[in-house]
Amino acid sequence: MAKQLDYHLIHEIFTRFRAAEPEPKGELEHINAYTLLVAVALSAQATDAGVNRATRALFQIVDTPEKMLALGEDGLTEHIKTIGLYRQKAKNVMKLSRILVDLYGGQVPSSRAALQALPGVGRKTANVVLNMWFRQPAQAVDTHIFRIGNRTGIAPGRDVVAVERAIEDNIPAEFQQHAHHWLILHGRYICTARKPRCPDCLIRDLCPFEEKTL
C-alpha cells in the first residue's frame, strides 16, 4: 500500500485524466435506469463485455420491471446463461423487479439505502447506478479501483469501504463525478494487475509504485 499522495499531486493526476477523457463513460450497455441496474447486478464476477453480449437481445424486449416479470425467470435465464452465477442472478433480478413494481411504481429509486435493500444489489452496484444515472458523485470501488487506489496512493485503504471513503475525502470536488470511471478505465487498460503498462501511463512521473515496468 502506497503512502497517501498530497492534494496537489492528486489534483494534477485528475487534471491529466480529465484532459485525456473529459467525459468518461461506463462500458455496460443500458437504455434507462432499470436496464442499468440489471446490467450492473449481472456484472458481479463477470466482465462488462460478457454482460453486454447477453443483454443486447434481452434489453430489446425488456426495458421495465413489468416486462421482466412478464418474461419470467426461465425466459431471463435463457438470455443470461452465458454469465457466471446466472441462475442466482436471474432469481435476484426477478425479485428486485417485483419490489420495484410493488413499492416504487416500476421506477428505480435514487436512494443508496433503497437500492441496497434490493436482492442482489450491494453497495458497489448502488453506487454505479447513483453515479451513472442519477449523476451523484458516488464512488463504486471494484477490484481495479481498489488496486489503483493503493498502488498509486490516490486512495489507499485496507478494504473497499476505506478506499471509497479515501476517494471521497482526497479527490477534489471538481473531479468527484467522474473519478471512479477514470480510475476503472485506467486500471482496466493501463495499470493492469499483473503487468501494468507503465510506459504508456500518463501519470507515471507522479506515481510512487516501485515495481514499474520498463
Side-chain angles (χ1 to χ4, degrees):
M1 182 187 301
K3 187 174 73 172
Q4 172 69 55
L5 292 182
D6 68 30
Y7 174 88
H8 298 291
L9 284 176
I10 292 176
H11 192 281
E12 175 61 23
I13 285 170
F14 281 92
T15 297
R16 294 183 189 183
F17 283 154
R18 182 171 61 188
E21 186 68 62
E23 290 287 333
K25 305 294 183 185
E27 296 185 326
L28 282 173
E29 297 172 6
H30 60 281
I31 299 166
N32 53 25
Y34 174 70
T35 53
L36 175 61
L37 174 62
V38 171
V40 180
L42 293 176
S43 72
Q45 300 182 51
T47 65
D48 287 359
V51 172
N52 289 338
R53 284 193 296 270
T55 58
R56 280 187 193 120
L58 173 66
F59 291 161
Q60 288 179 9
I61 59 173
V62 172
D63 58 3
T64 68
E66 292 87 352
K67 291 178 182 178
M68 186 67 77
L69 294 173
L71 178 66
E73 186 175 326
D74 290 343
L76 173 59
T77 299
E78 188 63 27
H79 278 278
I80 67 170
K81 61 185 180 183
T82 57
I83 300 174
L85 307 174
Y86 69 94
R87 293 190 187 280
Q88 184 57 51
K89 290 177 180 178
K91 293 181 186 299
N92 286 336
V93 169
M94 300 311 294
K95 290 177 181 176
L96 72 82
S97 298
R98 171 52 63 192
I99 292 172
L100 291 178
V101 170
D102 290 349
L103 298 185
Y104 299 102
Q107 301 300 307
V108 175
S110 59
S111 154
R112 180 186 286 118
L115 287 168
Q116 284 190 250
L118 298 171
V121 177
R123 187 177 183 88
K124 185 184 80 170
T125 297
N127 282 347
V128 171
V129 174
L130 292 173
N131 181 282
M132 289 181 63
W133 191 262
F134 294 106
R135 307 293 292 176
Q136 296 182 22
Q139 307 301 333
V141 178
D142 67 354
T143 56
H144 296 301
I145 293 183
F146 185 79
R147 178 177 69 254
I148 302 302
N150 281 291
R151 183 181 277 177
T152 64
I154 292 172
R158 297 195 178 278
D159 55 47
V160 294
V161 174
V163 170
E164 179 184 328
R165 288 173 177 163
I167 291 173
E168 293 172 346
D169 290 344
N170 302 332
I171 295 176
E174 65 186 287
F175 303 116
Q176 285 283 330
Q177 180 62 49
H178 294 312
H180 94 277
H181 277 133
W182 283 317
L183 293 172
I184 286 173
L185 294 172
H186 191 64
R188 186 173 289 166
Y189 298 111
I190 300 296
C191 198
T192 52
R194 295 185 180 179
K195 191 176 180 181
R197 295 170 51 199
C198 298
D200 300 322
C201 177
L202 55 78
I203 63 167
R204 61 187 176 277
D205 57 316
L206 306 176
C207 174
F209 183 53
E210 294 181 356
E211 301 171 40
K212 289 190 175 73
T213 56
L214 299 176

